[in-house]
Amino acid sequence: MKSLPSILTLGNLTSGMLAVIMAIHGEFALAVTMIWVAMFFDLFDGFAARKLHCEGEFGKALDSLADVVSFGTAPVLILYLNSMNEVNALGMALTALFPVCGALRLARYNCQKTASHGFVGMPITFAGGLMSFFALWSPYFTHGVAYLVIIVLSGLMVSQIRFPSLKQVLAPHEKDIVEPK
C-alpha cells in the first residue's frame, strides 16, 4: 500500500506522455483529455501519501518531475502543434517559457521549509489545465492572444500571489472556519 502514491504519480506521468504522443499525431482533444486524466492522478497521489503516512522526498521529487511533463510540457506542446507551428523565434521562446516557469515554481515549492496555507504562485497543475483548455480552442484566436495567455500563466506560476490549495477549498479545517458571533 505504501507504493500507491508513487503508482498514482506514475499514472500522472504516463498520462502526460500519452498527451504528448497524441498531440504529435494531431489528436488534440484526446491529448487534452489525457492531461485532465493526469490531473486526476495528481489530485490523489498527495492525498494517498498523506493518508498512508508515506510522504517523503522521493515522492515529492517524482511528483514534480511528472508535473513538468504533464502540466508544463504537454499543454504548451498541444498549443504549439495545434495553432502555432508557423510562429517566429518569439513564439518558440514563449512556448519554452511555460514549462520553464512551471519548473521554477515547482522547485520553489519543493524548497519551502515550512508548511503554509495555500501556494505561492499558481500551481502548475492549474496552469496546465487552463493552458490545455486554451490550446484546444487556440485555432480560433490570434497568435498575439496565445502569446498573452502563455505570458500571463507563466507569470502567475512564478509570481508571489497566493493561491488556495484544493484541500483548503474542499475541506477547510475546523480551526480555519470563523464562527459567526
Side-chain angles (χ1 to χ4, degrees):
M1 281 306 270
K2 297 277 185 189
S3 62
L4 180 62
S6 292
I7 292 168
L8 292 170
T9 300
L10 293 174
N12 166 0
L13 178 58
T14 301
S15 299
M17 281 306 304
L18 289 172
V20 167
I21 293 166
M22 289 174 186
I24 290 169
H25 289 286
E27 298 288 344
F28 303 119
L30 287 173
V32 169
T33 300
M34 292 314 301
I35 291 171
W36 288 77
V37 169
M39 291 173 78
F40 172 82
F41 283 117
D42 191 54
L43 174 66
F44 288 105
D45 63 358
F47 176 78
R50 285 186 295 281
K51 289 297 180 188
L52 296 171
H53 306 289
C54 55
E55 299 167 284
E57 293 303 312
F58 175 82
K60 196 174 189 181
L62 182 61
D63 185 64
S64 290
L65 292 170
D67 288 354
V68 169
V69 171
S70 298
F71 311 118
T73 303
V76 81
L77 180 65
I78 296 167
L79 173 64
Y80 181 81
L81 293 173
N82 196 18
S83 66
M84 294 177 53
N85 54 356
E86 296 177 7
V87 296
N88 58 21
L90 173 63
M92 286 187 248
L94 288 175
T95 301
L97 177 69
F98 188 76
V100 166
C101 288
L104 288 170
R105 193 247 173 262
L106 288 164
R108 179 176 62 191
Y109 175 76
N110 287 342
C111 291
Q112 289 176 337
K113 298 293 182 206
T114 59
S116 63
H117 294 292
F119 299 105
V120 176
M122 179 182 282
I124 190 173
T125 306
F126 188 60
L130 292 174
M131 179 64 74
S132 68
F133 184 76
F134 175 75
L136 191 58
W137 297 100
S138 63
Y140 300 105
F141 297 95
T142 66
H143 288 155
V145 172
Y147 294 169
L148 182 64
V149 169
I150 292 170
I151 290 167
V152 167
L153 290 176
S154 297
L156 286 171
M157 284 191 286
V158 295
S159 74
Q160 294 297 314
I161 298 171
R162 289 203 155 296
F163 289 83
S165 73
L166 193 56
K167 56 188 167 190
Q168 281 179 291
V169 173
L170 296 178
H173 293 104
E174 291 175 16
K175 65 181 179 182
D176 295 337
I177 298 173
V178 177
E179 294 292 328
K181 295 186 179 195

